[in-house]
Amino acid sequence: MTTIAGKEKMLTPEIEAFIEKWKGKPGNLIMVLHRVQEEFGYVPRDAAFEVAEALGIPVAKIYGVITFYHFFKLSKPGRNQIAVCMGTACYLNGGQDLIDECERILGVGLNTVTEDGEFSIEAVRCIGCCGLAPVLTLNGEVFGKVNTKQMRRIIQQFEGK
Amino acid sequence: MSMIKCEINGLPVSVPAGTTILDAAKGVGVTIPKLCYHNDLDAWAACGICVVKVEGSPKMLRACATAVGPGMKVVTHDPEVVEVRRTVLELILSTHPNDCLQCGRSGNCELQDLSADFGIRDIPFEKRAPEIPRDTSTPSIVLNPEKCVKCGRCVLVCQEMQNVYALEFIGRGDGTRLAPAADVTLEESPCIKCGQCSAHCPVGAIYEKDDTKAVWDSIKAEDKHVVVQIAPAVRVAIGEAFGYEPGEILTGKTYTALRRLGFDAIFDTNWAADLTIIEEGSEFVKRFAGDGPLPLITSCCPSWTDYMEKFAPDFIDNFSSAKSPQEMLGVMSKTYYAEKAGIDPATITMVSVMPCTSKKYEITRSDEMFASGYQDIDYSITTRELARMIKQAGIDFPALPDSECDSILGQYTGAGTIFGVTGGVMEAALRSAYYLITKEDLEQVEFEAVRGMEGVKTAEIDVKGTKVRIAVAHQMGNVQAVIDQVREARKKGEELPYHFIEVMACRGGCIGGGGQPHGATDEIRALRTRGIYTDDEKSKLRCSHHNPEIKRVYDEYLGEPLGQKAHELLHTAYTERPLYKK
Ligand code: SF4
Ligand code: SF4
Ligand code: SF4
Ligand code: FES
Ligand code: FES
């Protein structure tokens, strides 16, 4: 049985050893995917197929898990990651406007990466700073009470850095 | 088995332990509405429409997923319960497109029925029907996720019953959609085109690819000689679309209907099933005598051959190279029949009516499907599509007289007709193989051991002192155990567990095919199966090698079974395929 024809190997020997160690243990799939994402910053498609083969799990099940948990990413994030909070408080205070503005400035949509690989935008759930709504993070740094006018300046701070 | 006594709406009920409230209620004439639940599948308890009150329980319970307990007091219908169900339904409808009139399941949709029963007139919730493109990539079925009510049936069918894992729920919550994994189309996924997902979907979210327009066009075209064949399982199920009981044998009326639709020649796939048996039976006898690999495995189910090419390519040499009956009839029409009738094969359009969505895929699956020099079968439509064509033509099916099918590719034996059920191909092959090995006919042609709904049936058949070990599997997921057994024996170099294996992808065989009228359950499958066996019992000839039209085709045209001409026209080959095309 061949899952997919003619592909080069993607998983590193370390990840393969990790899979060997976890094979057959409960919860192994999440652990392995976690490890893969740690390595690549996301779960590349070819890696998902190799994990399927190594664990003897159907590819469909792997994607079921990856797409169920917000944590897992299926595409390579930008070098700078913008995460706009869409929790209730931020949503009510204009979270969507921030996303729209980001999309306008960067010229790409949600969950996509700019052509130069510099920025990506994603929507996340409440990050626990509701008092500062609307909130976004850029590479983990929190920006609160953001309005759309400030967006460009915030982004510029990270450009080329 | 221990019995549980309880009470449903004040009525005393006594049912075996483990019975669900849903089934227990049915026993006392109470219908609890359901949407996600299907008898073939474990309860997924996704929709919540089946809620009931149970005395002592603070919340309402889902009747499809709750077993009755001793002394349980259940209320299935009161104003409060009905109100909850109504709200569930309204919420589902608020995310469902409203274009029922253009939907393939209109008039035959479980959601529509519920909506009608509850008298839903308007929806108090904001309408948020998703826009998701259709997947029309396979020749067999269409996915229309916009109509999906997320009942989970198709995923359970594809994963648990069929063991294919082509479909999965992608995403979560509101954004969940059913799709193949890894951003591929269904055609690029492991899907084997069995259509069981479409047969189980309660709504119009998965349906057969409709080829009726092309068939109508051919019938209308003046310069076309349009030939049609009907498969064994069609005759015992088509009546369901016209109010008959499942299992009613309606061969004669179906021939008449086809003639009135305008087909120029009416043939029967059962004839070709007899032909398949002669080739496959001879192949078995040859291999059993030591010439060729064993076990021999039947190959008339294209979903099964697709599965094997993807999931078990180490069995390619074990497959019978004999084509399926559908394909044999196609090639014989465009060669032998064309020659005898003096018709230019280029002008023949060959249509087949099948219980099956996979047969739409089979007609172009490999170069051998063009053995006549043309595409041997031009269009393959399902039982459901034929029923629609008959209705569109204003034909009052029940009022039709019976008629005969046309000669020279029509007459069939009981062995041909039982191809439609699990075990049938094996039984038909054994009837003729016995003769080929011993030069004597069986006194009793029935092989009870291969009949019935057991997922895997095995037996040892005594052929005048020689033991032939056989296995029969149906419902794709059941085949894995048989494959593993053979692999294990191979690895250890042990005696093979079986000499001959039959596999059909659908539960119950083709009578339960993905293109049959909707609503199949084991009860309905049993009735259709009975219809098939009755057709066999009523037949004067019960063995393929007794079919005079088959004898004639070898005498006049093909020469010897497995001979050169037979090989060119009636055999095919298999190749390994990856699960995902990209
Ligand atoms: S046709 Fe069969 S294999 Fe394909 S998605 Fe449907 S159930 Fe799965
Ligand atoms: S496609 Fe049909 S069977 Fe599958 S989850 Fe949706 S409604 Fe249910
Ligand atoms: S069992 Fe019959 S109906 Fe089902 S896929 Fe196979 S050939 Fe088609
Ligand atoms: S809602 Fe945005 S931080 Fe809580
Ligand atoms: S039918 Fe019971 S929860 Fe859907």
Side-chain angles (χ1 to χ4, degrees):
Chain A
M1 179 170 108
T2 325
T3 313
I4 193 164
K7 284 271 180 188
E8 267 175 48
K9 249 199 155 26
M10 178 135 207
L11 297 183
T12 60
E14 291 76 29
I15 300 183
E16 282 183 338
F18 186 85
I19 294 178
E20 252 341 282
K21 200 177 94 203
W22 278 87
K23 213 171 173 171
K25 295 190 187 143
N28 59 10
L29 180 54
I30 306 252
M31 291 306 296
V32 169
L33 290 174
H34 211 281
R35 179 72 183 78
V36 169
Q37 180 150 310
E38 205 175 79
E39 180 80 21
F40 301 99
Y42 69 116
V43 183
R45 188 173 186 278
D46 291 354
F49 276 80
E50 285 175 37
V51 169
E53 227 155 287
L55 290 175
I57 295 175
V59 171
K61 278 279 144 222
I62 306 236
Y63 273 77
V65 168
I66 298 177
T67 62
F68 185 83
Y69 295 101
H70 289 295
F71 170 79
F72 292 116
K73 294 189 178 56
L74 276 167
S75 55
K76 197 177 170 70
R79 209 173 54 78
N80 300 299
Q81 300 173 32
I82 307 175
V84 181
C85 177
M86 286 293 270
T88 316
C90 294
Y91 177 79
L92 291 175
N93 281 292
Q96 185 61 49
D97 296 341
L98 295 185
I99 289 179
D100 293 346
E101 183 66 10
C102 281
E103 291 181 343
R104 215 180 49 77
I105 295 172
L106 296 171
V108 292
L110 207 54
N111 302 323
T112 29
V113 186
T114 53
E115 223 162 87
D116 57 7
E118 280 296 296
F119 288 95
S120 58
I121 324 167
E122 59 176 328
V124 295
R125 285 177 302 168
C126 177
I127 57 169
C129 316
C130 310
L132 298 175
V135 171
L136 64 83
T137 68
L138 221 159
N139 297 346
E141 189 178 328
V142 179
F143 296 82
K145 294 203 185 299
V146 184
N147 63 44
T148 51
K149 293 207 193 74
Q150 300 164 320
M151 254 343 292
R152 187 174 291 275
R153 216 165 23 85
I154 296 176
I155 289 174
Q156 271 164 359
Q157 285 177 34
F158 287 81
E159 229 153 24
K161 267 218 301 213
Chain B
M1 198 185 305
S2 75
M3 298 297 277
I4 304 276
K5 284 193 192 344
C6 63
E7 225 174 69
I8 294 180
N9 298 344
L11 301 164
V13 178
S14 172
V15 288
T19 307
T20 61
I21 299 177
L22 190 81
D23 286 336
K26 206 186 293 165
V28 287
V30 174
T31 306
I32 301 171
K34 63 182 171 74
L35 184 59
C36 66
Y37 181 72
H38 190 287
N39 290 55
D40 286 346
L41 306 164
D42 291 336
W44 179 264
C47 74
I49 199 141
C50 64
V51 288
V52 293
K53 282 184 181 168
V54 173
E55 201 178 272
S57 162
K59 54 178 185 125
M60 294 189 192
L61 298 177
R62 300 186 177 205
C64 68
T66 313
V68 291
M72 200 183 236
K73 289 199 168 94
V74 182
V75 175
T76 67
H77 290 74
D78 74 5
E80 212 180 353
V81 174
V82 172
E83 203 43 45
V84 171
R85 289 185 190 144
R86 170 184 294 275
T87 307
V88 166
L89 194 52
E90 286 168 348
L91 280 168
I92 293 171
L93 289 168
S94 76
T95 61
H96 198 81
N98 271 351
D99 56 349
C100 278
L101 292 178
Q102 291 99 284
C103 179
R105 291 296 292 275
S106 189
N108 179 15
C109 165
E110 296 178 37
L111 183 62
Q112 224 178 33
D113 289 349
L114 285 170
S115 184
D117 290 352
F118 277 82
I120 305 282
R121 293 296 172 265
D122 24 49
I123 312 277
F125 302 102
E126 187 196 343
K127 189 96 185 167
R128 288 181 291 117
E131 276 177 44
I132 311 172
R134 292 177 199 201
D135 183 332
T136 58
S137 59
T138 77
S140 300
I141 55 170
V142 177
L143 303 183
N144 184 9
E146 290 186 355
K147 294 263 162 92
C148 175
V149 297
K150 294 163 192 157
C151 70
R153 288 185 194 175
C154 59
V155 173
L156 284 176
V157 166
C158 190
Q159 300 190 352
E160 307 291 322
M161 285 180 80
Q162 304 300 73
N163 196 26
V164 174
Y165 288 83
L167 291 177
E168 173 61 309
F169 278 120
I170 302 295
R172 64 190 277 171
D174 255 10
T176 314
R177 69 201 157 88
L178 89 132
D183 271 330
V184 295
T185 60
L186 198 58
E187 207 271 323
E188 295 159 334
S189 84
C191 173
I192 57 168
K193 279 81 66 177
C194 65
Q196 284 302 317
C197 49
S198 76
H200 286 80
C201 180
V203 296
I206 310 183
Y207 48 88
E208 70 282 356
K209 198 148 293 143
D210 189 306
D211 290 307
T212 57
K213 178 163 185 317
V215 175
W216 281 124
D217 288 347
S218 309
I219 291 175
K220 273 182 250 155
E222 300 262 312
D223 53 345
K224 287 285 176 202
H225 183 76
V226 191
V227 179
V228 68
Q229 59 169 320
I230 65 161
V234 174
R235 68 205 69 213
V236 293
I238 188 154
E240 292 162 41
F242 301 97
Y244 288 88
E245 279 297 303
E248 183 94 34
I249 308 167
L250 294 161
T251 318
K253 281 191 199 305
T254 308
Y255 292 156
T256 310
L258 291 167
R259 221 162 254 126
R260 291 209 186 167
L261 286 174
F263 288 103
D264 299 305
I266 321 290
F267 292 143
D268 201 312
T269 315
N270 288 6
W271 174 86
D274 281 332
L275 186 57
T276 299
I277 284 304
I278 300 301
E279 290 296 318
E280 190 165 339
S282 306
E283 204 179 2
F284 176 70
V285 171
K286 183 162 166 255
R287 294 200 195 187
F288 193 66
D291 186 0
L294 287 174
L296 182 71
I297 306 180
T298 62
S299 60
C300 34
C301 169
S303 285
W304 160 230
T305 60
D306 196 27
Y307 183 94
M308 178 275 300
E309 289 177 322
K310 289 169 177 162
F311 292 89
D314 48 330
F315 282 82
I316 284 182
D317 291 341
N318 296 90
F319 263 60
S320 164
S321 63
K323 284 183 183 172
S324 72
Q326 148 167 284
E327 287 298 332
M328 285 202 182
L329 202 137
V331 69
M332 293 311 289
S333 294
K334 292 193 179 182
T335 54
Y336 175 62
Y337 167 70
E339 203 176 291
K340 293 282 277 188
I343 299 167
D344 176 3
T347 65
I348 296 182
T349 301
M350 184 70 221
V351 177
S352 54
V353 183
M354 298 280 133
C356 177
T357 51
S358 193
K359 292 280 168 187
K360 291 174 185 283
Y361 147 78
E362 183 181 44
I363 63 178
T364 55
R365 68 166 281 276
S366 67
D367 291 346
E368 291 83 12
M369 307 299 128
F370 299 77
S372 63
Y374 306 89
Q375 187 172 320
D376 297 333
I377 303 286
D378 294 283
Y379 306 108
S380 184
I381 61 171
T382 58
T383 312
R384 297 198 287 269
E385 287 164 272
L386 176 62
R388 285 204 293 275
M389 288 183 74
I390 293 172
K391 288 179 182 172
Q392 281 163 24
I395 294 169
D396 181 2
F397 189 84
L400 290 177
D402 284 349
S403 65
E404 297 292 322
C405 78
D406 293 313
S407 176
I408 54 178
L409 313 178
Q411 189 180 346
Y412 66 88
T413 72
T417 212
I418 57 175
F419 260 61
V421 293
T422 169
V425 177
M426 180 61 76
E427 183 167 338
L430 289 174
R431 290 180 190 177
S432 287
Y434 188 92
Y435 170 79
L436 289 171
I437 294 173
T438 65
K439 299 289 168 243
E440 276 173 35
D441 273 323
L442 284 161
E443 272 175 32
Q444 197 204 332
V445 296
E446 287 93 358
F447 288 88
E448 289 300 331
V450 299
R451 299 186 174 193
M453 287 300 278
E454 198 66 43
V456 177
K457 294 162 278 187
T458 59
E460 195 174 72
I461 309 290
D462 183 53
V463 182
K464 284 209 143 175
T466 313
K467 305 278 187 226
V468 179
R469 291 189 298 276
I470 58 165
V472 172
H474 63 114
Q475 180 177 319
M476 206 71 263
N478 289 324
V479 80
Q480 197 59 41
V482 180
I483 289 181
D484 289 344
Q485 239 182 317
V486 178
R487 274 189 188 144
E488 188 68 20
R490 269 184 190 166
K491 208 168 72 194
K492 295 193 185 142
E494 283 170 0
E495 172 89 9
L496 285 171
Y498 309 111
H499 302 112
F500 200 178
I501 300 172
E502 177 209 281
V503 182
M504 298 190 192
C506 296
R507 182 166 176 80
C510 305
I511 51 101
Q516 292 280 59
H518 280 289
T521 56
D522 276 354
E523 284 159 34
I524 291 177
R525 292 185 189 102
L527 291 169
R528 292 178 185 163
T529 301
R530 183 87 293 279
I532 291 277
Y533 286 128
T534 307
D535 200 29
D536 171 31
E537 285 151 20
K538 285 194 328 196
S539 304
K540 274 201 225 58
L541 303 174
R542 316 246 336 242
C543 300
S544 302
H545 58 278
H546 293 156
N547 186 334
E549 287 197 347
I550 295 290
K551 288 185 193 154
R552 187 169 64 195
V553 75
Y554 279 105
D555 287 348
E556 290 183 358
Y557 196 74
L558 289 170
E560 287 297 303
L562 306 183
Q564 197 200 333
K565 189 133 193 182
H567 193 83
E568 275 164 27
L569 298 179
L570 306 180
H571 289 258
T572 183
Y574 307 94
T575 93
E576 177 169 0
R577 297 175 207 264
L579 291 186
Y580 284 82
K581 289 203 182 141
K582 61 170 209 204

